[in-house]
Amino acid sequence: MKKSVLKLIGLGCLVIGLHSCEEDFLNTQPTEFISETELGEVVNLNPGLVQGSVDGIYTTMFTSGTGGTGGHDDFGQKAYDIFSDMLSSDMALSGSVYGWYRASITEMQATQDFTFTDNFQTWSYYYGQILNANLAMSNLGGPDADPENPDVRALLGQSLASRAHSFFMLAQLYADDYIADQPIIPLYDRLTAETLPKATQAEVYALIESDLNRAIELLEGYNRGSKAQIDQPVAKGLLAYAIAAQRQRWNEVASWASQARTESGTVLMPANADTFGILGGFNEVGNPSWMWGVDINENSGVGLVSWWGQVDFFSYSYAAVGDTKVMDEGLYNSMRADDIRRDQFFATPGANYLQPLFKQYDADRVPFGTSTQVKADYVYMRHAEMILLEAEALARQGQDGQARTVLHSLVDTRVADPSYIDTLSGQALIDEIYMQTRWELWGEGKSYFAMKRNQATITRGANHLSFVGESIAHNDDRLTFEIPQREIQDNPFINDQN
């Protein structure tokens, strides 16, 4: 039976050792076949490999080539953080020498043409992660199992949360807006050798919520070995995002976000240039503000093909040789003069205008880096975003006083005079929280979600290379990916539904 490449990628990651996905395997063509028997043989792996399979999910998040293209924009989760930041227009491409991102993402050609590889790359990466999670769960008794062993419970919980995260990313990146009854993507909630039709957004988000609620239950009492692993507070943070994306049940969003940050034991990043401050480089997983992240070191195999290789002037990078990624000029100018976050960006007009030279950087601070190997770490979730999400949810319920109190806990450390917050209410307060989210979380892959939740229209600033001054609505079809050509060819249900 003919299979999509996404299934082959997932199987490959699990079979080759569950710690990395080799690029040569990931170049497998989508026209290859996998039989029901072969799938069954993979499912019956030794249960002792389950820990490795879950670890492999996390390793895939920072491994190059895991989207199946081998391009220099293909390096795991942070690759799609760049895609979404650029599609939201908060991250501008202000210089282009080698061409990465220019036509496909910043000129939004890929999102209008299903033959572009960025559509395939994004799709295959997240469905590969989903298949790996399903395979791990199959060796733990399935997603509905209720194991007694706490270690097994934790593995099952992590697998469920990882699957939910991937479905959430697909739902955000492949749907223009939240419309409950709109079919968007296939819902592979079990191991199967069959292709499936699109499920509705309501069905996709129902599974995401179910997976995360179950994960939260299973992860009770789990003390993870590293921040790379999903624990209960991270799962709660993911659930807050998933419910908020549906623009409903804001009381639950506020509760989950509050629990996520308070139970994580994390704190807000201080407004200083110390290692763990907001001017300290965002490069150390030991930062007490980080809820979820990964330690990148000399043994990780991370180099030019990485978030750091694309964005950081102080890494061996494209950014240092002319492919500059910067904060949108209009967004920068919207910050108050007394906002310390302005200091995160190089604000001298010119080719490198508004690069994050003082926010995200390699600790050595040497232009173009001192080594081709990256050692700066990746952050996936941190304390501040849960503050902002909680404040937003409170404001959307009309609980303006509580929303202002929560918002003050962040803004008081970012601006010299935060008293203006006390004058805000209603939509003005919601708008302020949205702007605070964009200023605080620039370059972290969260602006796109906020744009959709707020149904915002973004106007591109003068430092973009394309569509300068154009206003783009959150549900503009150019801001979401197309189901890739290969999936349409391999999945007759998709072809019928398009």
Side-chain angles (χ1 to χ4, degrees), residues 194-217:
E194 300 295 329
T195 51
L196 298 177
K198 294 179 186 176
T200 66
Q201 292 202 47
E203 292 169 332
V204 172
Y205 278 100
L207 180 66
I208 293 169
E209 289 191 44
S210 175
D211 279 357
L212 288 169
N213 276 303
R214 183 78 176 111
I216 289 166
E217 176 186 350

Side-chain angles (χ1 to χ4, degrees), residues 50-51 54-55 58 148-159 161 214-236 263-265 291-292:
V50 176
Q51 177 68 61
V54 176
D55 290 345
Y58 297 131
E148 294 183 3
N149 185 300
D151 293 333
V152 177
R153 292 178 69 82
L155 289 170
L156 183 56
Q158 291 172 74
S159 300
R214 183 78 176 111
I216 289 166
E217 176 186 350
L218 290 163
L219 291 168
E220 179 68 33
Y222 168 59
N223 294 312
R224 59 187 175 179
S226 76
K227 285 187 181 179
Q229 298 164 323
I230 296 174
D231 63 1
Q232 192 181 64
V234 170
K236 289 182 176 182
E263 295 172 8
S264 69
M291 296 173 58
W292 187 22

